Amino acid sequence: MSGLMPEISKLLVEAGILKPEEAEALGRLARQRNELLWETLLGDNKITEAWLAEMFARRLRIPLLVTFSSRDVNEEAAHRIPDSLARKHMCIPYANEGQTLKVAFVDPSDLEAIKAIEFYTACRVKPVVAPRSHILEALDQVFSRSQAIDIIDRATESREIQILSSEGGCEIDLDRDALLQASGIPPIIKLVDLVVTEALRVNASDIHIEPAEHAIRIRLRVDGVLRDFLQAPAWLHSGLSTRLKVLSKLDITEKRVPQDGRFKVRFHTKVVDLRVSTLPTQFGEKVVMRLLGSSEGIPRPDQLGVPAPQLEAMKESVAQPQGMIIVTGPTGSGKTTTLYSLLDYRRSSEVNIVTVEDPIEYHLEGANQVQINPKAGLNFANCLRSILRQDPDVILLGEIRDRETAEIAFHAAMTGHLVLTSLHTNSSVATVLRLLDLGVDPFVISSTVTMVVSQRLARTICTECREPYVPSPRLLRHLRWHDFEFAFSRGRGCKACHRSGFKGRTGIYEILRMTPSVREAISRRASEAETLKAARGSGFVTLIEDAHEKIRGGMTTPEEIARVIQLPHDGETHCTLCSRAIPSEVSDCPHCAATAPAPEERPQTFAVDKQPPAWKPDSKAWRKKQGPGLVN
């Protein structure tokens, strides 16, 4: 640990930023996490990067580089040490002065790092200090840039993928010579093949190609999180965007307005559809490709991560001859996968299944799948009208976007069809309010909808590098966590998970069943809080409650849950059972009827080393009636 660590604690106490007992608690927490104290302080937002850098510069009397960036780095100097050594000590050489090497450090008091660099380079190290984020950004840009050039030089045209195009209903291999002439030089062909192949190997959902002032940044979205793949020289951007436009049949001369297109590739035995979108930005056109059909097929309902009681309810609902099942959540939360899983469960030779989508993301054998085409006047509403004359049993409607589509969908559900669809809302109860806002009659909602599923996708911990750890108390307070006799797990990061600590994803679910009490609340246009209270009587489990169970089961981490589920602000008082905000003027939680403490007894802040107090429902009988919750 660095020599200035006790002094940092002393300075924070003298400045009134920390109390002495808080400084001691943070020191213990840093030792538990095997971190330096300044890493813990930054992670818990006790100090800023600027304060840390200024403190090091003042105490060690060395220069401070406030605006340090990759443009200040001499690449020859930077590559005097390997990337691994630079990242281990969070530093980067940026200039040569004879036998002296200027090195920017996050922690210039780290004598071990200085000695290691001097031994490796045989140069005297002259340390300076810079903010951590600036150094990490410079490392990413400088080392990734050189790696990209080497990768492209060594790459050959991929034989794992075959570029396809749909013409006249058949798939044909495109003329590579014509593409090469249209899109520039051989490195462009290699780069596109390399990026698409890697995205398919890691099962990415999106490819982002982002032009910057001096480089092209290429990132892959894997398990819902963007991951840096490589940086390429900026001079490749024009040819790269042209190549993708030619593949997607877009106008290669138009660079001022967004364009959308698509093309297909065959990866081994699987055909994958790539949706291409271009967007003019400051340094050129950004290109995003969405990979459709790249996943490992349609999962069964019991593979989604739905708790057992809710899973049985889902199966019962999809087995009904008519009604409506609505799946809600933000973009990328797995709504389509859940819908197709239920559709596949219901599929049989006796059932006529028709889907209307934009785009078609899964191929389901035995179903009649329709791709909407707004340019030809084929939208959701028009297509749904025609489908009702095709004698369907089950209809999958990709999304309810407007009042007209909602009216036709509910009409179909009321006239003997089972309709599965999606809607963009934050929770299952909020879905009812959204439908009312679209103009659907409350009686129609209560009598037609059989189930509303709200969901999120959280990354699961890699089983190859799982280890116990201690989350920050602040995060646990934010998650309203009250079970502290529990061992948390996380992924350390290994080759199997690409150093992320996560591999794969699981669903977090909130399922609203249309019980008589819920139907009655909807029919009288009850508020969201009243509807939630009615649902609680039948064992309704919220997103955060299901997330807590996933954490207890060792499937994911508190940090991942905080990333995917929107949580209340720390300054509010919240119900321990349903995690919703409690107004200061009430004595009971308006959402789930739990008994709250008096306003003056509600603590708003807690010491770092103390756990937040919990308040509980006033009787065991009440808790039993409400079903599973956060309070044990």
Short mmCIF file of all heavy atoms in Angstrom, two decimals, residues 552-586:
data_model
loop_
_atom_site.label_atom_id
_atom_site.label_comp_id
_atom_site.label_asym_id
_atom_site.label_seq_id
_atom_site.Cartn_x
_atom_site.Cartn_y
_atom_site.Cartn_z
N ARG A 552 -29.19 -13.69 -3.89
CA ARG A 552 -29.04 -14.72 -2.84
C ARG A 552 -28.68 -16.08 -3.45
O ARG A 552 -27.97 -16.87 -2.84
CB ARG A 552 -30.34 -14.85 -2.04
CG ARG A 552 -30.62 -13.70 -1.09
CD ARG A 552 -31.77 -14.04 -0.15
NE ARG A 552 -32.06 -12.93 0.74
CZ ARG A 552 -32.98 -12.02 0.53
NH1 ARG A 552 -33.73 -12.08 -0.58
NH2 ARG A 552 -33.19 -11.03 1.38
N GLY A 553 -29.18 -16.33 -4.65
CA GLY A 553 -28.88 -17.60 -5.31
C GLY A 553 -27.52 -17.63 -5.96
O GLY A 553 -27.17 -18.63 -6.60
N GLY A 554 -26.76 -16.53 -5.85
CA GLY A 554 -25.41 -16.49 -6.42
C GLY A 554 -25.39 -16.36 -7.93
O GLY A 554 -24.37 -16.65 -8.56
N MET A 555 -26.50 -15.87 -8.52
CA MET A 555 -26.56 -15.77 -9.97
C MET A 555 -25.99 -14.46 -10.49
O MET A 555 -25.43 -14.42 -11.59
CB MET A 555 -28.01 -15.92 -10.45
CG MET A 555 -28.64 -17.25 -10.10
SD MET A 555 -30.33 -17.39 -10.70
CE MET A 555 -30.07 -17.41 -12.46
N THR A 556 -26.12 -13.39 -9.72
CA THR A 556 -25.66 -12.08 -10.17
C THR A 556 -25.19 -11.26 -8.98
O THR A 556 -25.14 -11.76 -7.85
CB THR A 556 -26.78 -11.35 -10.96
OG1 THR A 556 -26.24 -10.18 -11.58
CG2 THR A 556 -27.95 -10.98 -10.04
N THR A 557 -24.84 -10.00 -9.21
CA THR A 557 -24.25 -9.15 -8.18
C THR A 557 -25.13 -7.93 -7.92
O THR A 557 -25.91 -7.52 -8.80
CB THR A 557 -22.85 -8.67 -8.60
OG1 THR A 557 -22.98 -7.79 -9.74
CG2 THR A 557 -21.95 -9.83 -8.96
N PRO A 558 -24.99 -7.29 -6.76
CA PRO A 558 -25.73 -6.05 -6.50
C PRO A 558 -25.41 -4.96 -7.51
O PRO A 558 -26.29 -4.19 -7.91
CB PRO A 558 -25.28 -5.66 -5.08
CG PRO A 558 -24.87 -6.95 -4.44
CD PRO A 558 -24.28 -7.77 -5.54
N GLU A 559 -24.14 -4.87 -7.95
CA GLU A 559 -23.77 -3.85 -8.93
C GLU A 559 -24.53 -4.04 -10.25
O GLU A 559 -24.96 -3.07 -10.88
CB GLU A 559 -22.26 -3.90 -9.20
CG GLU A 559 -21.39 -3.40 -8.06
CD GLU A 559 -21.14 -4.46 -7.00
OE1 GLU A 559 -21.66 -5.60 -7.13
OE2 GLU A 559 -20.44 -4.16 -6.02
N GLU A 560 -24.70 -5.29 -10.66
CA GLU A 560 -25.41 -5.56 -11.90
C GLU A 560 -26.89 -5.22 -11.77
O GLU A 560 -27.49 -4.67 -12.71
CB GLU A 560 -25.23 -7.03 -12.28
CG GLU A 560 -25.95 -7.46 -13.54
CD GLU A 560 -25.41 -6.81 -14.80
OE1 GLU A 560 -24.37 -6.11 -14.73
OE2 GLU A 560 -26.02 -7.01 -15.86
N ILE A 561 -27.49 -5.50 -10.62
CA ILE A 561 -28.90 -5.16 -10.41
C ILE A 561 -29.09 -3.65 -10.43
O ILE A 561 -30.05 -3.13 -11.01
CB ILE A 561 -29.40 -5.76 -9.08
CG1 ILE A 561 -29.38 -7.28 -9.15
CG2 ILE A 561 -30.80 -5.26 -8.76
CD1 ILE A 561 -30.17 -7.88 -10.30
N ALA A 562 -28.17 -2.92 -9.80
CA ALA A 562 -28.26 -1.45 -9.81
C ALA A 562 -28.13 -0.90 -11.22
O ALA A 562 -28.64 0.18 -11.53
CB ALA A 562 -27.19 -0.86 -8.90
N ARG A 563 -27.45 -1.64 -12.09
CA ARG A 563 -27.27 -1.18 -13.48
C ARG A 563 -28.54 -1.35 -14.30
O ARG A 563 -28.84 -0.51 -15.17
CB ARG A 563 -26.14 -1.97 -14.14
CG ARG A 563 -25.80 -1.53 -15.56
CD ARG A 563 -24.74 -2.41 -16.18
NE ARG A 563 -25.24 -3.75 -16.47
CZ ARG A 563 -25.92 -4.06 -17.59
NH1 ARG A 563 -26.15 -3.13 -18.51
NH2 ARG A 563 -26.35 -5.29 -17.79
N VAL A 564 -29.32 -2.42 -14.04
CA VAL A 564 -30.44 -2.73 -14.92
C VAL A 564 -31.80 -2.34 -14.37
O VAL A 564 -32.77 -2.27 -15.13
CB VAL A 564 -30.46 -4.24 -15.28
CG1 VAL A 564 -29.19 -4.63 -16.00
CG2 VAL A 564 -30.68 -5.10 -14.05
N ILE A 565 -31.90 -2.08 -13.06
CA ILE A 565 -33.20 -1.72 -12.46
C ILE A 565 -33.12 -0.30 -11.92
O ILE A 565 -32.22 0.03 -11.15
CB ILE A 565 -33.60 -2.69 -11.33
CG1 ILE A 565 -33.76 -4.11 -11.89
CG2 ILE A 565 -34.89 -2.25 -10.66
CD1 ILE A 565 -34.16 -5.14 -10.86
N GLN A 566 -34.06 0.52 -12.32
CA GLN A 566 -34.12 1.90 -11.84
C GLN A 566 -34.58 1.90 -10.39
O GLN A 566 -35.65 1.40 -10.05
CB GLN A 566 -35.08 2.73 -12.69
CG GLN A 566 -35.13 4.20 -12.31
CD GLN A 566 -36.06 5.00 -13.21
OE1 GLN A 566 -36.66 4.45 -14.13
NE2 GLN A 566 -36.18 6.28 -12.95
N LEU A 567 -33.75 2.49 -9.51
CA LEU A 567 -34.03 2.49 -8.08
C LEU A 567 -34.29 3.91 -7.59
O LEU A 567 -33.86 4.89 -8.22
CB LEU A 567 -32.85 1.89 -7.32
CG LEU A 567 -32.54 0.43 -7.65
CD1 LEU A 567 -31.21 0.03 -7.07
CD2 LEU A 567 -33.64 -0.47 -7.12
N PRO A 568 -34.98 4.08 -6.45
CA PRO A 568 -35.27 5.41 -5.93
C PRO A 568 -34.00 6.13 -5.48
O PRO A 568 -32.94 5.52 -5.29
CB PRO A 568 -36.20 5.14 -4.74
CG PRO A 568 -36.67 3.74 -4.90
CD PRO A 568 -35.59 3.03 -5.64
N HIS A 569 -34.11 7.45 -5.28
CA HIS A 569 -32.98 8.24 -4.80
C HIS A 569 -32.72 7.96 -3.33
O HIS A 569 -33.61 7.62 -2.55
CB HIS A 569 -33.27 9.74 -4.99
CG HIS A 569 -33.46 10.12 -6.42
ND1 HIS A 569 -32.45 10.04 -7.35
CD2 HIS A 569 -34.56 10.58 -7.09
CE1 HIS A 569 -32.91 10.44 -8.54
NE2 HIS A 569 -34.18 10.76 -8.41
N ASP A 570 -31.44 8.15 -2.95
CA ASP A 570 -31.03 7.87 -1.57
C ASP A 570 -31.68 8.81 -0.56
O ASP A 570 -31.81 8.47 0.60
CB ASP A 570 -29.51 7.99 -1.44
CG ASP A 570 -28.81 6.77 -2.02
OD1 ASP A 570 -29.48 5.72 -2.12
OD2 ASP A 570 -27.63 6.87 -2.36
N GLY A 571 -32.05 10.01 -0.98
CA GLY A 571 -32.58 10.98 -0.02
C GLY A 571 -34.00 10.70 0.42
O GLY A 571 -34.51 11.36 1.32
N GLU A 572 -34.66 9.73 -0.21
CA GLU A 572 -36.04 9.43 0.13
C GLU A 572 -36.11 8.31 1.17
O GLU A 572 -35.16 7.56 1.35
CB GLU A 572 -36.81 8.99 -1.13
CG GLU A 572 -36.83 10.06 -2.23
CD GLU A 572 -37.43 9.52 -3.51
OE1 GLU A 572 -37.51 8.29 -3.65
OE2 GLU A 572 -37.79 10.33 -4.36
N THR A 573 -37.25 8.22 1.86
CA THR A 573 -37.52 7.08 2.74
C THR A 573 -38.36 6.09 1.97
O THR A 573 -39.29 6.47 1.26
CB THR A 573 -38.27 7.55 3.99
OG1 THR A 573 -37.48 8.53 4.65
CG2 THR A 573 -38.52 6.38 4.93
N HIS A 574 -38.03 4.79 2.12
CA HIS A 574 -38.67 3.78 1.30
C HIS A 574 -39.18 2.62 2.13
O HIS A 574 -38.65 2.32 3.19
CB HIS A 574 -37.70 3.25 0.23
CG HIS A 574 -37.18 4.32 -0.67
ND1 HIS A 574 -36.10 5.09 -0.33
CD2 HIS A 574 -37.62 4.76 -1.86
CE1 HIS A 574 -35.87 5.97 -1.29
NE2 HIS A 574 -36.78 5.79 -2.23
N CYS A 575 -40.19 1.97 1.58
CA CYS A 575 -40.75 0.77 2.20
C CYS A 575 -39.76 -0.38 2.07
O CYS A 575 -39.24 -0.64 0.99
CB CYS A 575 -42.07 0.40 1.53
SG CYS A 575 -42.77 -1.15 2.10
N THR A 576 -39.51 -1.07 3.19
CA THR A 576 -38.61 -2.22 3.16
C THR A 576 -39.19 -3.35 2.34
O THR A 576 -38.46 -4.13 1.74
CB THR A 576 -38.35 -2.71 4.59
OG1 THR A 576 -37.89 -1.61 5.37
CG2 THR A 576 -37.32 -3.82 4.60
N LEU A 577 -40.50 -3.45 2.27
CA LEU A 577 -41.13 -4.57 1.60
C LEU A 577 -41.23 -4.38 0.09
O LEU A 577 -40.84 -5.25 -0.67
CB LEU A 577 -42.54 -4.80 2.19
CG LEU A 577 -43.22 -6.11 1.76
CD1 LEU A 577 -42.39 -7.29 2.22
CD2 LEU A 577 -44.61 -6.18 2.33
N CYS A 578 -41.69 -3.21 -0.36
CA CYS A 578 -41.87 -3.00 -1.79
C CYS A 578 -40.88 -2.01 -2.38
O CYS A 578 -40.89 -1.78 -3.59
CB CYS A 578 -43.29 -2.55 -2.10
SG CYS A 578 -43.68 -0.86 -1.57
N SER A 579 -40.03 -1.39 -1.54
CA SER A 579 -38.95 -0.50 -1.97
C SER A 579 -39.42 0.80 -2.60
O SER A 579 -38.65 1.51 -3.21
CB SER A 579 -38.02 -1.22 -2.97
OG SER A 579 -37.42 -2.33 -2.37
N ARG A 580 -40.68 1.15 -2.44
CA ARG A 580 -41.19 2.39 -3.03
C ARG A 580 -41.14 3.53 -2.01
O ARG A 580 -41.11 3.31 -0.80
CB ARG A 580 -42.60 2.19 -3.56
CG ARG A 580 -42.63 1.09 -4.63
CD ARG A 580 -43.87 1.15 -5.46
NE ARG A 580 -43.81 0.16 -6.51
CZ ARG A 580 -44.27 0.36 -7.75
NH1 ARG A 580 -44.80 1.51 -8.07
NH2 ARG A 580 -44.20 -0.59 -8.64
N ALA A 581 -41.13 4.77 -2.54
CA ALA A 581 -41.02 5.94 -1.67
C ALA A 581 -42.27 6.11 -0.81
O ALA A 581 -43.40 5.85 -1.24
CB ALA A 581 -40.81 7.20 -2.52
N ILE A 582 -42.05 6.57 0.45
CA ILE A 582 -43.15 6.76 1.40
C ILE A 582 -43.32 8.25 1.66
O ILE A 582 -42.37 8.91 2.11
CB ILE A 582 -42.86 6.05 2.73
CG1 ILE A 582 -42.55 4.57 2.50
CG2 ILE A 582 -44.03 6.20 3.70
CD1 ILE A 582 -42.03 3.87 3.72
N PRO A 583 -44.47 8.84 1.37
CA PRO A 583 -44.69 10.25 1.69
C PRO A 583 -44.58 10.50 3.19
O PRO A 583 -44.90 9.65 4.02
CB PRO A 583 -46.11 10.53 1.18
CG PRO A 583 -46.38 9.43 0.19
CD PRO A 583 -45.62 8.23 0.69
N SER A 584 -44.13 11.70 3.55
CA SER A 584 -43.90 12.01 4.96
C SER A 584 -45.19 12.11 5.76
O SER A 584 -45.19 11.95 6.98
CB SER A 584 -43.14 13.34 5.08
OG SER A 584 -43.88 14.37 4.45
N GLU A 585 -46.34 12.30 5.10
CA GLU A 585 -47.57 12.53 5.85
C GLU A 585 -48.37 11.26 6.12
O GLU A 585 -49.43 11.32 6.74
CB GLU A 585 -48.46 13.52 5.08
CG GLU A 585 -48.98 13.02 3.72
CD GLU A 585 -48.00 13.30 2.59
OE1 GLU A 585 -46.87 13.72 2.90
OE2 GLU A 585 -48.36 13.11 1.42
N VAL A 586 -47.88 10.08 5.69
CA VAL A 586 -48.66 8.86 5.88
C VAL A 586 -48.05 7.98 6.96
O VAL A 586 -46.87 8.09 7.26
CB VAL A 586 -48.77 8.06 4.55
CG1 VAL A 586 -49.39 8.89 3.47
CG2 VAL A 586 -47.40 7.54 4.12
#
